[in-house]
């Protein structure tokens, strides 16, 4: 699964929680650890907050994802009709650092 191909959507007036599954990027028995950084690329239209690593199992796109294998953040704002890029940086307990872009469509 390529994180860059995952496109999420929200209405301009909504505040939404976004979750990103890292299962397919992690090596066997590797987990996410530390702080999660999220940053909007190219504009400052979005308000991003509350980034973290899921401490329990969650369902993302119909798939159950184990604890410490996905991240979440809250997003508000944006202009209808625009697609935004949010860059996520997160580390693992195997000393890897993932830097990935996800797309967010605002309706």
């Amino acid at each position: 699964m390529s994180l860059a191909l995952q496109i999420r959507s929200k209405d301009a007036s909504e505040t939404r929680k976004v979750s990103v599954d890292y299962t397919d990027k992690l090596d066997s028995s590797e987990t996410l650890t530390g702080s999660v950084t999220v940053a909007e690329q190219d504009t400052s239209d979005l308000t991003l907050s509350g980034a973290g690593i899921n401490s329990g199992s969650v369902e993302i796109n119909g798939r159950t994802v184990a604890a410490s294998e996905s991240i979440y953040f809250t997003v508000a704002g944006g202009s209808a009709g625009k697609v935004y890029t949010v860059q996520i940086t997160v580390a693992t307990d195997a000393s890897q650092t993932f830097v990935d872009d996800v797309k967010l469509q605002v309706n």
Side-chain angles (χ1 to χ4, degrees), residues 17 19-20 52-58 60 66-72:
K17 180 178 177 181
S19 296
V20 180
I53 297 169
N54 283 308
S55 59
S57 64
V58 294
I60 300 173
S68 301
E69 293 186 1
S70 66
I71 66 96
Y72 61 87

Side-chain angles (χ1 to χ4, degrees), residues 25-32 69 92-96 98:
K25 288 192 81 170
L26 295 166
D27 292 333
S28 180
S29 68
E30 182 180 22
T31 60
L32 302 173
E69 293 186 1
T92 76
D93 60 359
S95 300
Q96 295 195 78
F98 298 139

Side-chain angles (χ1 to χ4, degrees), residues 1-106:
M1 166 183 61
S2 171
L3 293 177
L5 298 178
Q6 297 181 38
I7 298 179
R8 289 132 178 96
S9 65
K10 71 177 232 37
D11 289 336
S13 62
E14 292 179 314
T15 298
R16 297 286 303 267
K17 180 178 177 181
V18 175
S19 296
V20 180
D21 178 1
Y22 276 87
T23 304
D24 293 337
K25 288 192 81 170
L26 295 166
D27 292 333
S28 180
S29 68
E30 182 180 22
T31 60
L32 302 173
T33 188
S35 299
V36 177
T37 302
V38 291
E40 180 182 352
Q41 304 298 293
D42 304 321
T43 75
S44 57
D45 295 352
L46 302 176
T47 300
L48 305 172
S49 62
I53 297 169
N54 283 308
S55 59
S57 64
V58 294
E59 187 170 314
I60 300 173
N61 296 327
R63 177 179 177 175
T64 300
V65 180
S68 301
E69 293 186 1
S70 66
I71 66 96
Y72 61 87
F73 61 93
T74 301
V75 60
S79 297
K82 291 185 80 174
V83 176
Y84 296 92
T85 301
V86 176
Q87 187 171 79
I88 301 166
T89 305
V90 63
T92 76
D93 60 359
S95 300
Q96 295 195 78
T97 300
F98 298 139
V99 180
D100 295 293
D101 291 340
V102 295
K103 302 293 184 183
L104 177 71
Q105 169 73 49
V106 176

